[in-house]
Amino acid sequence: MKDLIIVGAGPAGFTAAIYGLRAKLDLFMLEKTGPGGQIALSDVIENYPGYSSISGLELMQKFEEHAKKFGLEIQSSEVTGVEDRGDYKLVKTTSGDIETKAVIICSGAKPRKLDVPGEKEFTGRGVSYCATCDGFFFKGKDVVTVGGGDTAVKESLFLTKMVNKVFLVHRRDALRAEKIIQEKALTSPKINIQWDAVVTEIKGNTKVEGVAIKNVKTGAEEVLPVQGIFIFVGIVPNTGFLNLVDKDEAGFVKVNKKMETNIPGIFAAGDCRDTPLRQVVTAVGDAAIAVTSAETYIERLK
Ligand code: NAP
């Protein structure tokens, strides 16, 4: 039986691995899609101490190398459930079941959908959730971005490097993104902010040809003639496989200050937990606490 299984290979997962391996726990990591997590798609990170500017992918490669230096093994399989068997947990995966004393859930989150007509039909044909992945295909074209948070504003700025114009559609009259990046967006000649506006439909024949928006204050409607739309309206946690633990109404795992869930031996860290701030730096802190708590829990089992 393993001491610890870490679910997810993002910033929280790698930190948990580094701390766990240094504490000599017998552990391994399970990952569904590939190491790095959502942050690996981020063009540039400027708020992780020690790196004034680094791409998300490069930072995650450093995290992975660091964890592997201490002997981390990553198994590629999807976790489908975690069962509580008292003194041990059964982690159910697409490659079989694993018995472990403790589990740290670091499964992160994925982009939220807008749920408007045309979104599903045109995904991959003009609708995207990742500027770093797809921005290149819109070189010299006009695009819409949606949202007012850090992701929407940062990705809009990234897109200005290649597209002709970005219409940033936000449902309110103020952005919620960090002030420093807000300023850059507000002064960018390539970003045109559509305040108090919502997307009502994504139009086209075989690919996106326009985005219909409606002003929520005046009711005015128009169709922006764009070839792409990037949707950044928040995130939903990857916690659907977890039925045992308490979650909030949005599905984020509830934990206490020791990162303990309501089930002894199951811990959570990073974007998948209920937290007021989702950053690499907070995920890292969560994971260090979670491992320390897991160590204490495992010790008490003896
Ligand atoms: P977020 O902060 O939750 O922002 C989501 C944005 O989408 C908000 O502006 C929200 O509007 C808008 N929105 C939500 N649902 C909508 C809908 N149905 N229709 C239209 N607009 C909608 O999400 P995020 O930007 O993805 O960030 C997630 C977390 O990661 C945050 O904690 C963020 O700080 C963090 N993050 C940090 C960085 C960094 O470099 N520091 C980069 C990326 C993300 P309202 O403002 O009206 O609510």
Side-chain angles (χ1 to χ4, degrees):
M1 179 178 325
K2 289 282 168 190
D3 288 328
L4 178 65
I5 296 294
I6 297 164
V7 180
F14 284 126
T15 306
I18 292 164
Y19 274 71
L21 289 162
R22 285 175 52 80
K24 300 289 175 202
L25 295 178
D26 178 15
L27 65 83
F28 70 85
M29 178 183 271
L30 293 168
E31 169 58 28
K32 182 168 75 167
T33 46
Q38 277 222 124
I39 195 69
L41 302 177
S42 210
D43 169 46
V44 60
I45 297 165
E46 294 182 339
N47 57 5
Y48 190 69
Y51 297 95
S52 55
S53 182
I54 186 166
S55 79
L57 183 63
E58 202 185 340
L59 186 62
M60 282 309 96
Q61 282 166 346
K62 287 180 184 290
F63 273 44
E64 185 176 356
E65 276 163 30
H66 189 162
K68 285 191 167 161
K69 189 185 141 198
F70 292 110
L72 175 64
E73 272 180 54
I74 307 177
Q75 184 180 307
S76 181
S77 47
E78 183 176 350
V79 176
T80 53
V82 179
E83 292 178 5
D84 186 18
R85 302 282 168 98
D87 279 359
Y88 75 96
K89 315 291 162 216
L90 193 69
V91 178
K92 301 185 87 70
T93 84
T94 44
S95 334
D97 297 349
I98 307 156
E99 292 179 0
T100 179
K101 291 173 188 163
V103 185
I104 303 181
I105 308 295
C106 307
S107 50
K110 57 179 175 288
R112 178 185 290 136
K113 303 276 191 292
L114 210 47
D115 283 334
V116 293
E119 182 178 14
K120 207 168 162 195
E121 296 89 308
F122 295 120
T123 292
R125 288 185 288 142
V127 174
S128 170
Y129 302 86
C130 175
T132 317
C133 321
D134 301 327
F136 177 79
F137 302 115
F138 297 89
K139 200 162 177 247
K141 296 182 176 168
D142 293 343
V143 298
V144 158
T145 55
V146 192
D150 282 326
T151 309
V153 176
K154 279 183 84 170
E155 300 295 281
S156 298
L157 285 165
F158 172 72
L159 284 166
T160 61
K161 291 187 218 166
M162 55 207 84
V163 305
N164 178 52
K165 188 186 248 181
V166 176
F167 293 96
L168 194 165
V169 176
H170 183 38
R171 64 183 178 183
R172 290 191 291 126
D173 59 2
L175 299 169
R176 72 163 64 232
E178 264 185 309
K179 291 282 179 292
I180 191 165
I181 53 169
Q182 277 197 32
E183 278 164 21
K184 287 185 191 166
L186 292 168
T187 54
S188 166
K190 282 194 169 184
I191 297 180
N192 175 326
I193 304 187
Q194 302 284 313
W195 300 106
D196 302 309
V198 291
V199 171
T200 53
E201 189 180 349
I202 299 165
K203 293 174 175 288
N205 286 308
T206 54
K207 55 187 170 46
V208 172
E209 289 164 13
V211 170
I213 61 167
K214 182 179 180 177
N215 186 296
V216 291
K217 285 191 176 153
T218 64
E221 296 183 60
E222 68 176 300
V223 177
L224 299 170
V226 295
Q227 295 78 54
I229 172 168
F230 290 81
I231 298 166
F232 306 114
V233 293
I235 53 173
V236 287
N238 297 319
T239 56
F241 63 92
L242 267 182
N243 299 321
L244 269 184
V245 303
D246 285 347
K247 298 183 237 176
D248 69 11
E249 63 288 348
F252 293 97
V253 179
K254 287 187 180 177
V255 290
N256 62 17
K257 65 185 180 187
K258 294 181 180 172
M259 304 301 144
E260 294 166 330
T261 67
N262 58 312
I263 306 291
I266 304 183
F267 307 82
D271 281 6
C272 69
R273 81 161 181 103
D274 60 337
T275 170
L277 189 63
R278 293 192 171 84
Q279 310 269 303
V280 178
V281 80
T282 48
V284 161
D286 282 3
I289 295 170
V291 175
T292 310
S293 304
E295 247 188 292
T296 309
Y297 171 81
I298 293 163
E299 201 55 41
R300 283 206 195 116
L301 289 177
K302 286 179 186 161

